[in-house]
Amino acid sequence: MDNSLDAVIESYVKVVGSSEVDAESDFFAIGGHSLLVMEVISLLRTQYGMSVPARQFLTDARAQAVAAACVAVESQ
């Protein structure tokens, strides 16, 4: 699970441009918005091989909650 948390935090940093991100950081509170959610989802898939449903961001957008909802993308 640490791996997915690191991936989510790194994705938040890249997409939002804030270096002040930790496990409790809420994506929307640090400057993210709905269009940037799609960038995070894309980054997680392409760079880290993980998938997370967009609805997770509406339920709980804290990095640790998003990381917990991530699943590995099966190779095709």
Side-chain angles (χ1 to χ4, degrees):
M1 190 81 76
D2 259 355
N3 233 5
S4 57
L5 179 57
D6 290 341
V8 170
I9 289 173
E10 288 175 24
S11 297
Y12 280 18
V13 167
K14 286 180 185 176
V15 170
V16 177
S18 170
S19 59
E20 299 292 320
V21 180
D22 61 25
E24 288 295 318
S25 295
D26 182 286
F27 182 70
F28 300 108
I30 62 170
H33 55 74
S34 59
L35 294 176
L36 292 179
V37 166
M38 301 316 290
E39 285 190 41
V40 170
I41 290 170
S42 177
L43 251 173
L44 288 171
R45 179 176 284 280
T46 60
Q47 290 195 358
Y48 302 102
M50 290 185 256
S51 178
V52 64
R55 71 180 171 271
Q56 176 58 46
F57 288 83
L58 298 174
T59 304
D60 188 347
R62 289 175 301 136
Q64 67 184 5
V66 172
C70 284
V71 294
V73 175
E74 295 181 25
S75 359
Q76 297 162 352

